[in-house]
Amino acid sequence: WFSRIVMYNDSTLLMNGKIGLYALQYNAVEKSLSIDPSLHLPEVEISALYVDRDERLWIGTYAGLYKENSPSPVERFTLSIPGKVGSVHVKWLEKGKGIWYAATQHDGMLVLDENFHTLHQFPVTDHGEKLRIGKMIRFDSTYLWACTERGILEFNTSTGAYTFLRFKDHPDYLNGSTIYELYRDRDGLIWVAGEEGNTVYTIEPKTKAIRKIEYSESNSKFTVNIVYRFGEDGHGNMWLCGDVMARYNPHLGKVDSLIVKLPLQHNSRKVFLLYRNSNNELWIATNGENWHIYSDQNGFSIFDDDRMSPDLNKYHVMIDDRLYYVSRLGKIVILNTLNRKSRVL
């Protein structure tokens, strides 16, 4: 017999002995390796180890083949509202202490328990019209801010009361505007994008002072018709993503770079999304193509598995360096951007 070593996940290596398995833990911060002296599967004489792209362990033995039985990480919950017939269209979820807040298409703000049962419903209207609530961010321990078609909604999680934000220094800013995106950057500044072309706003949380950034002769590269997403890079720049991508340089106070088409892009379709992982790689998606990856060291590349191509009109988010999204094939995908391993559900 001889030992084989496989990488089980980002921090765990597996090594077989004459019988059974040993686990080795890698600490990326300290760059150290430690071994767990416990012997796993002591009754099995192992001849081969393999981890597939879905991170399931396969073990070849002299008595047969074993496969790890990994449960699906996705569980389906059906939301309902007492007295309402039909489904509930949820646009965004935000976690609270033992509860969830759900922004909906036509049913206002819902408060759900951890099993996604409706505890409270708070209708959100403007002059009697039901409003669609979109993305939310937590402003502080009491308030949520949300995108609506009448401006930024400020929702009090303690009382269920809400109002639309007005700014003392510029009461006309965002008043009655459709808001598409809210984003809090690493310094705490809140970025806002709405229906105004070639325009975004920043809000200072402590004072709620608002500033407009827009196209001008001195900011002539700001030509993003409508900004749908924000994304920071590893150098502190803010990318404004829409029908083109514009890089706002906070040190210069203006857009200093504009990308109309990615260097390796095959089609000429618009609408871009951008995420940044902990390695400061930029993962960029555009309509009808796979992920484009950019790093300072290697420049641009394209993810080479067609199954991973994202549908930009469906759900997508990055959590702990993993992209969770719906592919163009209609599958739920979990893609680890550090080791490029994926799971298609």
Side-chain angles (χ1 to χ4, degrees):
W1 67 275
F2 59 92
S3 295
R4 295 164 178 81
I5 298 177
V6 297
M7 180 176 287
Y8 183 56
N9 56 38
D10 294 342
S11 60
T12 305
L13 302 173
L14 297 178
M15 179 179 68
N16 68 294
K18 187 175 182 180
I19 58 172
L21 285 174
Y22 293 95
L24 296 85
Q25 300 296 325
Y26 176 68
N27 188 314
V29 177
E30 299 179 358
K31 295 184 177 180
S32 62
L33 194 66
S34 60
I35 186 168
D36 180 356
S38 303
L39 180 64
H40 303 274
L41 303 176
E43 71 283 358
V44 178
E45 188 174 352
I46 295 172
S47 58
L49 296 171
Y50 176 72
V51 177
D52 66 20
R53 67 182 307 127
D54 293 327
E55 298 187 358
R56 292 174 299 193
L57 177 65
W58 296 70
I59 303 174
T61 77
Y62 292 104
L65 180 65
Y66 293 81
K67 183 186 78 170
E68 180 182 11
N69 184 16
S70 300
S72 171
V74 176
E75 185 176 355
R76 181 183 178 89
F77 294 89
T78 300
L79 297 185
S80 63
I81 299 174
K84 174 181 171 64
V85 178
S87 60
V88 180
H89 189 172
V90 175
K91 304 292 291 184
W92 196 267
L93 285 169
E94 196 69 27
K95 190 75 171 71
K97 292 183 179 179
I99 56 176
W100 290 89
Y101 297 96
T104 71
Q105 177 88 357
H106 299 295
D107 298 301
M109 188 78 72
L110 304 181
V111 181
L112 313 172
D113 65 18
E114 292 188 325
N115 294 314
F116 295 95
H117 298 134
T118 301
L119 300 175
H120 303 286
Q121 178 189 13
F122 298 98
V124 175
T125 62
D126 183 47
H127 295 93
E129 180 184 351
K130 293 182 179 180
L131 297 185
R132 179 177 65 250
I133 310 174
K135 180 180 178 180
M136 298 186 287
I137 62 172
R138 181 164 286 281
F139 178 72
D140 57 23
S141 60
T142 301
Y143 290 99
L144 292 171
W145 284 11
C147 300
T148 78
E149 54 210 302
R150 295 291 191 274
I152 300 174
L153 179 81
E154 185 175 62
F155 179 80
N156 187 319
T157 59
S158 298
T159 65
Y162 64 89
T163 186
F164 295 96
L165 288 179
R166 299 291 181 263
F167 304 94
K168 293 181 180 180
D169 47 348
H170 294 284
D172 56 322
Y173 282 5
L174 301 176
N175 187 359
S177 296
T178 297
I179 307 300
Y180 296 123
E181 173 73 335
L182 291 168
Y183 182 92
R184 189 191 295 269
D185 68 22
R186 284 172 288 177
D187 296 325
L189 195 66
I190 296 174
W191 294 72
V192 186
E195 61 186 339
E196 295 178 74
N198 306 320
T199 304
V200 296
Y201 294 84
T202 62
I203 302 172
E204 206 290 318
K206 291 184 179 179
T207 62
K208 292 187 179 178
I210 189 170
R211 181 169 72 100
K212 178 188 283 191
I213 302 171
E214 60 185 336
Y215 171 86
S216 65
E217 289 186 5
S218 61
N219 195 18
S220 59
K221 289 187 176 181
F222 191 165
T223 56
V224 187
N225 184 29
I226 297 294
V227 175
Y228 291 103
R229 293 289 184 272
F230 295 106
E232 292 177 85
D233 64 24
H235 304 287
N237 301 306
M238 182 64 71
W239 287 86
L240 317 175
C241 305
D243 57 328
V244 298
M245 287 177 59
R247 184 179 69 185
Y248 179 81
N249 187 322
H251 303 292
L252 300 177
K254 65 179 183 179
V255 171
D256 67 354
S257 180
L258 187 71
I259 296 178
V260 177
K261 183 177 180 179
L262 297 170
L264 301 179
Q265 186 177 345
H266 297 296
N267 65 31
S268 57
R269 295 183 182 181
K270 306 298 185 181
V271 182
F272 296 87
L273 298 176
L274 180 146
Y275 293 98
R276 178 178 63 89
N277 66 15
S278 60
N279 284 342
N280 286 329
E281 292 178 329
L282 301 180
W283 286 68
I284 307 165
T286 183
N287 268 339
E289 290 206 7
N290 213 328
W291 293 100
H292 293 242
I293 303 105
Y294 175 81
S295 70
D296 291 338
Q297 297 78 19
N298 303 316
F300 277 95
S301 62
I302 299 179
F303 201 76
D304 59 1
D305 188 338
D306 290 339
R307 299 182 308 158
M308 302 296 106
S309 181
D311 183 341
L312 268 63
N313 296 313
K314 303 291 177 59
Y315 177 84
H316 42 77
V317 69
M318 178 180 278
I319 302 174
D320 296 333
D321 291 321
R322 286 177 168 81
L323 285 165
Y324 298 79
Y325 61 96
V326 177
S327 73
R328 292 170 60 204
L329 298 176
K331 303 293 185 179
I332 299 174
V333 178
I334 303 173
L335 174 57
N336 187 321
T337 62
L338 299 182
N339 60 21
R340 309 295 173 89
K341 292 183 177 181
S342 61
R343 187 167 185 181
V344 180
L345 305 176

